[in-house]
Amino acid sequence: MTLSPKDACQLTREFCGLAPIVPVLVIEDASTARPLAEALVAGGLPALEVTLRTPDALEAIRVMSQVPGGHVGAGTLITPEDVRAVKAAGAAFGVSPGATDELLAACEAEQLPLLPGAATATEAMRLLARGYDMLKFFPAEASGGAPALKAIGAPLPQITFCPTGGISPANAGSYLSLGNVLCAGGSWVAPKDLIAAGNWDGIELLARQAAQLGGNA
């Protein structure tokens, strides 16, 4: 049994609708995973994206998936092997910088809801043709920012986006005010220095501030 693109998008839409910001996390040390997840969830950001950019990423997903109230996704999915690994680790959803037929097929086969990346109208149209209408806009700022995403939305109003890449408290509002944006991905809510210092109260405060950002979520 496979997960249809329609059902996958329904699930990713639910995760993206939990809060205006999805923390994009690079976990260097899995021992920080649980307190980090607890701080972010306590601050009002329950959907978490752990990127597969470090050796401890899979263990971090395993640990974070046990945190009450959290919904842990795996980012930087590139290959079918990535999909199978994060599914086994307990990821509730996946996120990719782009999309290939092989990656989409693997997520559908593993029943892992995917938020696939697109940066152009052509990429978005190809995903829409396959049945995906909840997408990641990446890299957001480098691809023209909120004006570009607004322009893409004019001819493709049926697609909803989660912009990621260069999002900060200073520009998040310009994205979240768009009618085709449900949430945005950002790394500023979990800075490396606060994680290294174990300053979970500081991270919770950043999460609370991010959770108050405006938007359609």
Side-chain angles (χ1 to χ4, degrees):
M1 183 177 179
T2 61
L3 182 67
S4 72
K6 179 180 178 180
D7 289 341
C9 289
Q10 180 178 340
L11 291 167
T12 54
R13 212 174 244 104
E14 290 175 3
F15 292 128
C16 287
L18 292 172
I21 300 298
V22 175
V24 179
L25 309 171
V26 179
I27 309 297
E28 303 286 352
D29 182 351
S31 69
T32 66
R34 186 175 185 90
L36 174 59
E38 289 173 341
L40 291 167
V41 171
L45 303 181
L48 313 172
E49 177 190 340
V50 178
T51 61
L52 292 188
R53 301 179 191 176
T54 67
D56 278 19
L58 288 174
E59 181 59 24
I61 291 171
R62 291 188 187 95
V63 172
M64 286 184 165
S65 66
Q66 304 302 314
V67 173
H71 304 273
V72 184
T76 325
L77 298 185
I78 306 295
T79 67
E81 290 74 23
D82 291 337
V83 174
R84 290 187 282 271
V86 302
K87 178 71 173 183
F93 63 97
V95 185
S96 62
T100 64
D101 290 338
E102 291 79 8
L103 183 67
L104 294 169
C107 286
E108 292 161 8
E110 292 293 328
Q111 300 187 53
L112 182 73
L114 179 69
L115 187 66
T120 67
T122 296
E123 291 170 352
M125 287 171 62
R126 285 176 175 165
L127 284 163
L128 183 62
R130 186 166 176 137
Y132 289 87
D133 59 8
M134 179 71 216
L135 311 179
K136 171 181 174 177
F137 180 59
F138 177 84
E141 281 292 285
S143 298
L149 189 50
K150 181 179 180 179
I152 288 176
L156 297 170
Q158 63 272 63
I159 301 178
T160 307
F161 291 91
C162 170
T164 303
I167 309 295
S168 70
N171 61 21
S174 64
Y175 288 96
L176 294 170
S177 65
L178 299 178
N180 62 339
V181 169
L182 184 56
C183 67
S187 60
W188 83 86
V189 294
K192 287 185 177 181
D193 58 339
L194 293 189
I195 294 176
N199 189 346
W200 312 122
D201 289 341
I203 289 175
E204 182 178 339
L205 176 60
L206 289 175
R208 289 188 184 281
Q209 294 169 344
Q212 297 303 311
L213 292 171
N216 303 301

